[in-house]
């Protein structure tokens, strides 16, 4: 009995309609299909991601592997190319996809996205707004957390970034996600215009100056709601924390950073890796208090004062934010859109006529920046 038949039987027995399959779940199950992205790992542990296209091949300096030999195979299979080179074939995990997808801005690393989801208590069905979409890495994780029944409204100032994020989200989920909405404009202006006061459960900001959004966050966030900030530098962290304390409508903020160190595992040679993912950003969490309530003064703190000279340091250049050229953004947006189109056309068995799509595969490394 198939899974769908089994679900129907359960629904008939209980008198309830079978639950709808989560969006994108079908693309994560079953044998490999045309248009899917497949991660190939060779005998030396090197990973590359290809998009399955009937009649084409994945070429390396060690021969070629026909895509047709992968189509129809069960995930986790091991296949050989024309000279006997073996490859382990799996669907890319979310972390693999995020670190290899087209990007116009630095992505939120999986280690930080996981902390945001857990420490921000983002649950299925939650109503969430975020700002600073970038390439869509965090949006993808937030959509996983809120599910089809939830709501994620993303705000992005730059149309090029929004296009890249849209392409990456649709590539991973196989099309537009039913819980996602993306708007252009400044968060502090647009969120209060588009969301009702007290209607949002969680706010996630990945931006240069989150303290500028205090009033907007306090307006749309429900009492008890969680506000998560992701910032790159100590100066940003300090000013945001002091602004929240001075405002009085939020709880005492908590801040931390996470570092991930892998381990080398080979026989008795078990030791830490020589390289690690160290500082990527700071996370800070606070919660909205009820209207008319002033937060508890948990500790005596010296009042923080910021001079005009201090404020001049909070610029993209001063905090080390590298400018992204318009040319790079346009290319990344084309790559993201092309991946969606390739997946759709190949899944339908149609020839891919998208401009610039002459390669049969995309050899994306699974590494980070």
């Amino acid at each position: 009995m198939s899974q769908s038949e089994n679900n129907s039987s359960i629904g008939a027995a209980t008198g309830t309609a079978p639950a709808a399959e989560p969006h994108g779940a079908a693309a994560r199950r079953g044998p490999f299909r045309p248009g899917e992205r497949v991660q190939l790992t060779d005998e030396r542990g090197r990973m590359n991601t290809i998009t399955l296209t009937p009649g084409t091949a994945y070429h390396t300096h060690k021969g070629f592997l026909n895509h047709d030999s992968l189509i129809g195979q069960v995930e986790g299979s091991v296949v050989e190319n024309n000279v006997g080179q073996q490859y382990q074939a799996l669907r890319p995990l979310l972390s693999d996809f995020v670190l290899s997808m087209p990007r116009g801005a630095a992505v939120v690393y999986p280690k930080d996205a996981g902390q945001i989801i857990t420490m921000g208590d983002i649950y299925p069905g939650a109503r969430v707004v975020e700002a600073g979409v970038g390439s869509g890495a965090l949006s993808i994780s937030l959509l996983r957390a809120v599910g089809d029944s939830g709501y994620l409204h993303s705000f992005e100032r730059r149309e090029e970034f929004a296009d890249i994020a849209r392409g990456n989200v649709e590539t991973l989920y196989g099309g537009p996600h039913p819980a996602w909405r993306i708007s252009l404009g400044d968060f502090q202006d647009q969120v209060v215009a588009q969301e009702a006061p007290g209607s949002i459960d969680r706010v996630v900001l990945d931006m240069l100056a989150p303290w500028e959004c205090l009033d907007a966050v306090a307006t749309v966030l429900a009492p008890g709601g969680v506000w998560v900030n992701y910032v790159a530098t100590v100066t940003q962290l300090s000013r945001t924390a002091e602004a929240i304390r001075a405002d009085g409508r939020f709880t005492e903020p908590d801040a931390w950073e996470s570092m991930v160190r892998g381990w080398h595992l080979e026989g008795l040679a078990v030791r830490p890796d020589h390289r690690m993912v160290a500082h990527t950003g700071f996370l800070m969490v606070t919660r909205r208090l009820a209207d008319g309530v002033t937060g508890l003064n948990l500790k005596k703190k010296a009042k923080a004062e910021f001079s005009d000279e201090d404020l001049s340091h909070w610029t993209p250049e001063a905090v080390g934010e590298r400018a992204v050229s318009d040319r790079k953004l346009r290319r990344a947006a084309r790559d993201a859109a092309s991946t969606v189109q390739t997946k759709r056309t190949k899944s339908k068995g149609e020839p891919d006529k998208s401009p610039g799509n002459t390669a049969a595969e995309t050899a994306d490394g699974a590494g980070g920046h």
Side-chain angles (χ1 to χ4, degrees), residues 77-369:
S77 297
V78 175
V79 295
E80 292 186 355
N81 69 0
N82 65 313
V83 296
Q85 173 83 15
Q86 291 189 319
Y87 294 94
Q88 178 179 277
L90 294 162
R91 291 185 175 94
L93 298 176
L94 174 61
S95 57
D96 300 321
F97 177 81
V98 162
L99 295 177
S100 65
M101 68 188 190
R103 65 179 69 173
V107 300
V108 174
Y109 266 75
K111 73 179 183 71
D112 294 321
Q115 292 268 310
I116 289 170
I117 298 301
T118 302
M119 303 305 288
D121 189 34
I122 298 172
Y123 52 87
R127 291 179 57 83
V128 181
V129 296
E130 67 157 337
V133 175
S135 301
L138 183 56
S139 303
I140 289 170
S141 294
L142 292 173
L143 287 169
R144 280 269 181 97
V146 301
D148 290 5
S149 63
Y151 175 76
L152 174 64
H153 193 172
S154 304
F155 295 86
E156 174 56 53
R157 297 176 63 181
R158 301 188 63 171
E159 186 173 3
E160 301 94 332
F161 285 160
D163 290 339
I164 296 168
R166 189 177 293 108
N168 288 330
V169 167
E170 293 189 11
T171 295
L172 186 68
Y173 290 110
H177 196 286
W180 194 40
R181 178 184 175 192
I182 185 167
S183 297
L184 293 174
D186 289 327
F187 173 81
Q188 56 265 46
D189 298 327
Q190 294 299 319
V191 73
V192 294
Q194 300 188 44
E195 301 294 344
S199 64
I200 299 301
D201 301 307
R202 305 289 185 262
V203 174
V204 182
L205 300 186
D206 173 14
M207 58 170 56
L208 183 66
W211 57 87
E212 295 178 351
C213 302
L214 264 167
D215 285 336
V217 173
T219 298
V220 301
L221 193 59
V226 180
W227 178 14
V228 183
N229 287 295
Y230 180 72
V231 294
T233 70
V234 171
T235 51
Q236 290 170 289
L237 183 69
S238 172
R239 184 164 184 204
T240 304
E242 294 303 333
I244 288 172
R245 290 185 181 121
D247 183 81
R249 289 176 287 183
F250 298 90
T251 61
E252 175 68 14
D254 290 323
W256 71 95
E257 64 176 330
S258 64
M259 302 183 186
V260 175
R261 183 175 70 175
W263 280 68
H264 173 85
L265 301 173
E266 188 174 340
L268 297 179
V270 179
R271 54 169 174 74
D273 284 339
H274 296 305
R275 301 179 65 185
M276 65 179 290
V277 181
H279 175 76
T280 49
F282 296 104
L283 289 168
M284 182 170 64
V285 170
T286 185
R287 300 184 70 179
R288 177 71 159 94
L289 296 170
D291 289 337
V293 172
T294 301
L296 296 177
N297 186 13
L298 301 182
K299 303 175 186 176
K300 283 192 174 182
K301 298 182 176 67
K303 185 177 180 181
E305 297 289 348
F306 295 98
S307 67
D308 292 339
E309 183 180 356
D310 292 327
L311 300 183
S312 69
H313 292 305
W314 282 294
T315 64
E317 296 78 13
V319 299
E321 190 174 284
R322 292 183 294 178
V324 183
S325 69
D326 291 340
R327 181 180 179 184
K328 180 179 179 181
L329 290 176
R330 289 193 296 269
R331 184 171 67 247
R334 285 197 302 269
D335 290 345
S338 176
T339 306
V340 177
Q341 183 62 28
T342 299
K343 186 171 184 178
R344 290 175 179 170
T345 56
K346 296 309 177 186
S347 64
K348 296 178 182 177
E350 302 172 359
D352 187 3
K353 299 179 181 179
S354 57
N357 190 27
T358 56
E361 66 279 330
T362 56
D364 304 319
H369 297 308

